[in-house]
Amino acid sequence: MVTQLNIISDEKTQHLITPGNFESVHHTSDVNTEIHSDKSKNGFALKVSSVLQTTLDIEPLIKLFSQQIKPAIPHDGFTYHNDPLGLALHYGKKCKNLCQYRLLVNGEPLGEISLHRRWEFSSEDKKVFEYTLCGLVYPLRNAILYKLALQAANKDALTNVYNRSTFEETLNREVQLAHRHNRSLSMIILDIDNFKLFNDNYGHVLGDEVIKRTAENINACVRSTDIVFRYGGEEFVALLSNTSLAGARLLAERIRQKIANNSIAYNDCDISITTSLGISELTEGEQNASFFTRADKALYEAKGSGKNCVRVSD
């Protein structure tokens, strides 16, 4: 049974709040604990909270919280789930006996936390856990806000794919990894054909919709391990790890066809979109600039070949 813990507090002070009313939980047995009084529980929670202030990274934060509370609440495993952030963290072993809480601050969900162990949790264990969770919520919320800020800085606001500044950093990392582990890496550069005509003939609202729809169609074709970026106005880049030139060409053709086959309904008209794509595969010892330039050159070859086609770098 999941217990919901909702911390109601002053947004400005963010002082430690001790547990108040919680949804009922099943208590079946008691074990001894060194933390008996509410005062000592509160002191322990404050100590845990101060330690957690040392990081804004969610994964180390959750692991550190588990380590800090383990002397007071022995457990075999620890899990944290935050579906909106796509996080599912687990440390140690999963056991049938759980102590689960859904965390909220002023009604704002922060995810679910579970302790696992081989023997049952006592009512005192759960009470201590409730106090320590009150010391976790603000460091956890700060870490969540930090992660969301990083994501916003790395993403293009219109399409929600990664932006150009993120591309430069990611390209450098992926090239280094490919060389270090001797694995293939390919790149697709895609440009929307005649994009200026969409803005000139129909306005920028449709132009934005064309860009958004193109990004959606690209994402529908790539794998979860592929990374898509909006490089410029109507230009996108996809980095494909562990993908040969032949594999990249198949994917590029699939993307091109999907975009061409999905028109946009606008003012009783079906607006068709076509794209041109250039591909390159990283060669031994090749640097970022050359890798990108070859794919870009292949793109311009596609443009010069009548558009709506794929061309491969030599």
Side-chain angles (χ1 to χ4, degrees):
M1 179 178 180
V2 180
T3 304
Q4 183 162 289
L5 177 88
N6 187 16
I7 306 297
I8 307 296
S9 64
D10 186 337
E11 289 288 335
K12 295 181 180 179
T13 59
Q14 292 193 8
H15 59 285
L16 183 70
I17 307 298
T18 55
N21 295 321
F22 301 93
E23 296 178 5
S24 62
V25 293
H26 296 299
H27 304 311
T28 55
S29 65
D30 290 320
V31 294
N32 291 327
T33 178
E34 295 179 359
I35 302 177
H36 295 289
S37 70
D38 286 351
K39 183 177 179 180
S40 61
K41 292 183 184 72
N42 194 38
F44 179 64
L46 284 168
K47 179 182 176 182
V48 170
S49 183
S50 66
V51 173
L52 298 180
Q53 303 291 338
T54 58
T55 181
L56 282 171
D57 192 328
I58 293 177
E59 294 188 31
L61 177 74
I62 294 298
K63 190 171 185 179
L64 185 59
F65 178 69
S66 173
Q67 293 170 347
Q68 289 294 308
I69 68 170
K70 199 164 190 176
I73 317 170
H75 53 277
D76 298 304
F78 191 100
T79 59
Y80 172 71
H81 292 273
N82 188 313
D83 292 337
L85 291 180
L87 289 175
L89 310 178
H90 177 72
Y91 305 103
K93 298 178 180 179
K94 289 186 177 180
C95 304
K96 66 176 183 178
N97 294 296
L98 297 178
C99 186
Q100 282 183 294
Y101 284 85
R102 183 178 297 113
L103 302 179
L104 302 97
V105 172
N106 295 326
E108 175 189 346
L110 301 182
E112 290 189 10
I113 280 183
S114 305
L115 294 183
H116 302 249
R117 74 182 185 192
R118 290 158 291 173
W119 66 99
E120 293 181 345
F121 291 92
S122 69
S123 58
E124 184 65 18
D125 288 331
K126 293 176 182 180
K127 191 171 183 181
V128 172
F129 193 32
E130 289 168 1
Y131 271 83
T132 58
L133 287 173
C134 290
L136 168 68
V137 288
Y138 282 119
L140 178 59
R141 188 175 69 162
N142 290 339
I144 289 172
L145 292 174
Y146 179 68
K147 185 176 181 68
L148 290 172
L150 287 179
Q151 289 180 344
N154 293 336
K155 294 290 186 74
D156 173 62
L158 180 63
T159 62
N160 202 37
V161 300
Y162 290 104
N163 57 28
R164 181 169 179 169
S165 61
T166 309
F167 169 73
E168 305 295 343
E169 178 183 344
T170 307
L171 176 62
N172 186 59
R173 183 193 69 218
E174 291 297 316
V175 166
Q176 290 183 10
L177 288 173
H179 287 319
R180 184 180 306 143
H181 299 290
N182 193 29
R183 68 188 189 195
S184 57
L185 175 67
S186 293
M187 180 189 303
I188 298 173
I189 303 181
L190 176 151
D191 188 81
I192 301 171
D193 296 331
N194 306 312
F195 178 73
K196 187 175 182 297
L197 295 179
F198 292 116
N199 285 333
D200 291 346
N201 295 337
Y202 302 98
H204 289 279
V205 172
L206 178 65
D208 285 351
E209 185 61 29
V210 168
I211 290 172
K212 287 167 60 179
R213 187 70 62 87
T214 300
E216 290 169 2
N217 286 323
I218 294 171
N219 279 329
C221 295
V222 299
R223 305 165 302 178
S224 60
T225 54
D226 300 329
I227 313 172
V228 179
F229 308 84
R230 185 182 177 193
Y231 187 77
E234 67 270 24
E235 199 167 60
F236 293 85
V237 179
L239 289 177
L240 319 172
S241 61
N242 291 308
T243 304
S244 66
L245 196 63
R249 182 166 192 166
L250 288 173
L251 175 60
E253 280 290 352
R254 189 159 64 247
I255 292 171
R256 184 192 65 79
Q257 291 174 16
K258 184 170 183 62
I259 292 170
N261 292 336
N262 286 271
S263 60
I264 297 176
Y266 187 79
N267 288 345
D268 298 324
C269 297
D270 284 333
I271 308 298
S272 298
I273 309 168
T274 64
T275 54
S276 300
L277 302 93
I279 308 169
S280 64
E281 182 182 10
L282 187 69
T283 59
E284 185 176 355
E286 187 174 30
Q287 299 303 306
N288 302 3
S290 172
F291 182 33
F292 180 85
T293 299
R294 290 193 299 109
D296 198 41
K297 182 180 177 181
L299 168 63
Y300 278 92
E301 289 177 2
K303 290 288 189 183
S305 300
K307 304 176 182 178
N308 192 25
C309 62
V310 175
R311 290 293 181 265
V312 177
S313 173
D314 295 333

